[in-house]
Each structure stands twice: as structure tokens, then as C-alpha cells.
Amino acid sequence: MRRFLAHNARRRNNFTNCVLQHGTFPLRIWTSTSSPGHFSGSVTSGGSASAPPLTLDTINPKVLKCEYAVLGETFILAQRLQQKLKENPGSNPFNELLYCNLGNPHSLGQQPITFFREVLALCDHPTMLDRAETRGYFSADAVERAFQILNQIPERATGAYSHTQGIKGLRDTIASGIEARDGYPADPNDIFLIDGASPAVHIIIQLLIRSEKDGILCPIPQYPLYSGSVALHGGSLVPYYLDEETGWGLEISELKNQLETAKSKGITVRALVVINPGNPTGQVLAESNQREIVDFCKNEGLVLLADEVYQENVYVPDKKFHSFKKVSQSMKYGEEDIPLVSLQSISKGYYGECGRRGGYMEVTGFSSEIREQIYKVASLDTCSNISGQILASLVMNPPKVGDESYESFSAEKEAILSSLARRAKTLEDALNSLEGVTCNRAEGAMYLFPRIELPKKAIEAAKAVNTAPDAFYARCLLHATGIVVIPGCGFGQVPGQWHFRCTILPQEDKIPVIVSRLTEFHKAFMDEFRD
């Protein structure tokens, strides 16, 4: 790090040279100087004597409009640097990459929950249940749970297709878990077990979007799955801006203004997306605010798409997660009053089983005719994977008091969540200590989204290499320190503002290294481009 900074202190344009040296990709960046849903830049294809069967001019233009910054240009650059470090150690001013870009806990050292993996192992290899020595290696409640699950699967065949909505017994378990969480009944027939939350988003947006005249209200900043899905299915993203000054607050007046603006453009708004806890912004909605949102959807006839995959990730004592289903039911709204899609995933929380691809959507308030159409679209994928289905049932029905695994399970869960809270606070404090950086507190989820005030000379340098200013900062940070973050332009932001998303997931012993490298880099960067 010091070697890099000492070298780059020699010339004013060395940070720009860093970007030029490593090149830019012909990937379009969603810059905050464009309106959300519109992308700048261009993608070109090389010519040849005989035209290839497919070119960027002949594929579906909706694919070109679709963007996903989380695995975009910065991540691709990081992968190239990772390979370079492997092939030529010592070739960079750092000896390892520090991935703060992706909500992928196990890839950064988080260990799986023992009870969950014991049950999954027994279900994957059921003949172990017939061996006497198995009970010496596995907890009694894990063995019992595996028997319960396998008895719900014909022939104990975890490699076979299931019902499109998922194994009925597992949906029963999840419905009971939802009821225990919310205090209101849940119907297993409303539940679709899915390969993570993403397929559910595609299903619902496909259902709603008929043409570019149909719009989806999405938060800005937002998780780019939503903007990408709306673009891919040919709709219009209708942005509503979260208020950074009030801790990324969701104001009903903003929803109303954006709804009216969309109507004036001839756009029919079909649904409202709410991410709670927030990604990339980390806020947790107050229950009173959720009541306002439910009323808004009811009054405007909108589907409420509630992304609740971070429901276990709440770190501050003055906030608590409440599902939108619980809130709407507490307001005495019935299913005929508001169509609601609630998403949960095994990829987040304290479990972090991203690669297992599991989760569910709970669909309420839709007519039987519409439910049949949702089922039809879901059936195109036949069913979700069985391991993910099993894990989703375990997440919603973990060990209880009196179970053999309860104490060890509780200790593992508490250790993970308390460590995440400490990491969030350490990074938040470090970011707020940097010149020109402000960062709201991390109330929940797995991310911080600091705002950076960049000097004019840095903005000009970014423009010179056809790059958004926060993407320029992120690339310079990557090449100088090995820290991987995602620029705010990939999530949307108020025009003229710049941010980046930083996860809190690197293991706790890595956090001081990240703080040290980031602090040293930021000072050098600001000095380099000071006006």
C-alpha cells in the first residue's frame, strides 16, 4: 500500500493512469447524471468479413438494457487482479483482495450453521439414518428432523423433482414458521419454494409488465435485480428516492409525486417494491411507516412486492423487523384488499447459504385465476432444488428450547449476528472519519452506502476516461489497496451525488486491515485531486 502511494504521489495524473493502464470494459455504467432506468455509454461489436449469426445489433435490445452492477465491471476487474496475484505474487501493492462487494457470507469465511448442515447431510445421504453409528456423529434432533423431512418425500428421493411449489410438508413447516413470526395464520398453498428470491422477482415482474407503458415503483438507491428485471421484461422503472438526510427514509409524499409523474407520461404503475431492511442502504423501516405504505398500495391499487430477505439482520436496539403481511393483517386488511408478494431467502440472515439457492415467496391477495398464471410461469422451471427447499424449512423452523441442538445453534447464531453488528459499527465510524464522506448508520442488512464528496479534479479525471466519478474512485481504490466495493452509480442515486456500497461481511480480523488501507488511500486520493 505504502509502495503504491509513494509512487503515485509523484504525479498529478497517476490515479487516472491507473485506470487507463488496467483498461475499461465496454460495459455501460448507470450514471447518476442519467435518470434511473436509463443508461449511458455504448456497446460496440467488431466487424468481420462475414457477419456472425449474432451481433449486439441483432440480439434482444432488452438484454442490452439489462444491467447488474453487483457482478459488473468492478467485479470483473477484481477477478483479473485475483488471477494476476495468483500467477505473479508481489505484482501489486497488496497481497490479497478484500471483497466488500457482494453479500456472499460463506465465501468470506462465515461458517454454516451446524444443525442445518447435519440435517442436510442426512437428507442427502439417507442410508446413513439406517446405521447405528450415525447417532454418535449427529445430534439426536438433527436425526429426528431428517427422518421427518424424508418421510415427506416419496422414496426419500431428494434427487427427484418435487411439486412446482415445493414439497408440501416443507411448505407446511414454513407456513407454521410464518405464523409463529407474525402471529397470524399462513396458508402453505400461498407459498412457492424458489431458488433464492431472484426467480420470484422475475415471475412477478413478468406477470405485471405488458409493455413499456407499465411501470414498477422501485427505491433509489435499489438492488439492481429490480431495475435489471424491469428492463429485461420491457417495462419502465419508476424511481422513488429514499431520503438520505433522514436515514434513507421512505416518504409517502415522494411515492405520490413519482406516481403522478409516471401517470403524466402515460405509464400505468402496477406495483411498489420495498426492500426492508434496505439494500444497499441498510435502513429498517418503522412499523408506522409500513402502515402508511400499505395504505398507499391499497388506495392506489398496487401490488406490494416486499423484499424481506434481510429480516434476521437487524443490529440496532431501537428498530425491529415487521413483515408487511403482519402489518397489513394488523390493520384488518384481508386478502381481498391488497395483493402482496413477500420474499425470503436462505442466502442472507445469519445462515448465508447463498450457493444452496433456496427461499420462498408468499403470495396473498391474488384471485384464483391470477394464482393459476403464477403457477404456470413457475412450472416452466419445474421446481426449485430440493436442498434449498430443505434449508428454507430449517430457517423457518430452527431448533427450539429443549432440543439437543438448541444451545449450540443459539450460540452460533448470536456469534454471527453480534459480530456483524460490531463490523458494521466499526466500518461506519471509519467511513465517517474520512474527509468528505458521510455514512448513515447500518441498522440492518449487510451493507453501508456512504456518500463521497469528490473534488472537481477527480470528477474531471473520471470524465477523461469516460467513467462515472464513483466508479473511478472504486477502481482506484481497487488497484491501490485490493479493496473491492461497488460504485453507487450501479444502484441509482440523486443526480450529482456519489456513493459506493461496502459490505460488512469480511471476517472481523480483516476489518482493521480494510479500515487502514481505505483511510490511507482516501487521504492520498483527496490530496492528489484537491481543488
Side-chain angles (χ1 to χ4, degrees), residues 411-460:
E412 290 175 357
K413 175 181 175 180
E414 172 60 24
I416 290 169
L417 291 175
S418 60
S419 176
L420 286 171
R422 290 192 299 271
R423 287 177 249 176
K425 186 68 170 84
T426 299
L427 286 170
E428 174 195 324
D429 290 345
L431 288 163
N432 279 318
S433 73
L434 302 178
E435 178 188 356
V437 177
T438 55
C439 183
N440 284 324
R441 69 172 182 164
E443 297 177 343
M446 296 177 172
Y447 316 100
L448 295 162
F449 199 65
R451 178 178 172 182
I452 48 176
E453 297 288 345
L454 294 173
K456 287 183 180 179
K457 290 179 180 178
I459 295 172
E460 291 168 358

Side-chain angles (χ1 to χ4, degrees), residues 222-405:
Q222 52 97 35
Y223 178 46
L225 166 66
Y226 292 99
S227 57
S229 297
V230 171
L232 190 61
H233 297 300
S236 294
L237 185 78
V238 180
Y240 66 89
Y241 288 87
L242 302 177
D243 186 358
E244 187 169 6
E245 301 303 317
T246 60
W248 299 112
L250 195 165
E251 302 294 339
I252 299 300
S253 59
E254 170 69 3
L255 292 179
K256 291 179 178 178
N257 288 340
Q258 296 298 344
L259 180 66
E260 291 306 314
T261 299
K263 288 179 178 178
S264 71
K265 297 177 181 178
I267 295 172
T268 301
V269 177
R270 310 298 308 280
L272 169 68
V273 172
V274 180
I275 308 173
N276 180 46
N279 177 10
T281 44
Q283 84 285 7
V284 179
L285 293 177
E287 186 175 7
S288 58
N289 194 191
Q290 291 181 263
R291 289 173 174 270
E292 294 175 329
I293 293 165
V294 169
D295 274 335
F296 174 78
C297 289
K298 168 67 169 60
N299 295 335
E300 299 296 341
L302 301 179
V303 174
L304 176 53
L305 182 52
D307 184 332
E308 299 174 338
V309 303
Y310 297 99
Q311 60 189 257
E312 297 278 3
N313 299 102
V314 179
Y315 308 123
V316 293
D318 58 322
K319 290 293 183 75
K320 183 180 179 181
F321 170 77
H322 301 278
S323 75
F324 271 101
K325 184 185 177 192
K326 173 187 174 181
V327 171
S328 63
Q329 300 243 339
S330 71
M331 298 171 70
K332 309 302 182 185
Y333 283 141
E335 289 198 2
E336 69 281 358
D337 293 312
I338 177 169
L340 171 63
V341 180
S342 304
L343 305 180
Q344 166 66 315
S345 169
I346 66 172
S347 298
K348 310 305 177 186
Y350 57 88
Y351 17 90
E353 295 275 10
C354 300
R356 299 289 176 170
R357 308 310 300 141
Y360 69 80
M361 67 172 174
E362 185 183 17
V363 179
T364 57
F366 292 85
S367 68
S368 59
E369 293 84 1
I370 298 302
R371 289 171 60 89
E372 288 174 5
Q373 299 307 309
I374 295 173
Y375 181 89
K376 179 176 68 177
V377 176
S379 69
L380 294 175
D381 287 329
T382 307
C383 70
S384 61
N385 79 86
I386 303 303
S387 294
Q389 292 188 32
I390 292 170
L391 278 168
S393 75
L394 297 174
V395 163
M396 296 305 291
N397 184 27
K400 303 292 193 299
V401 175
D403 293 342
E404 181 181 325
S405 296

Side-chain angles (χ1 to χ4, degrees), residues 153-169:
I153 303 174
E155 304 298 325
R156 293 183 171 182
T158 56
Y161 291 135
S162 75
H163 186 280
T164 288
Q165 286 183 239
I167 296 165
K168 175 60 165 58

Side-chain angles (χ1 to χ4, degrees), residues 96 98 100 422-423 426-427 430 483 506-520:
E96 65 173 337
L98 297 168
C100 301
R422 290 192 299 271
R423 287 177 249 176
T426 299
L427 286 170
I483 297 172
Q507 288 301 291
E508 205 158 355
D509 62 346
K510 296 291 185 184
I511 299 299
V513 180
I514 292 169
V515 169
S516 175
R517 291 189 192 182
L518 175 60
T519 300
E520 194 170 359

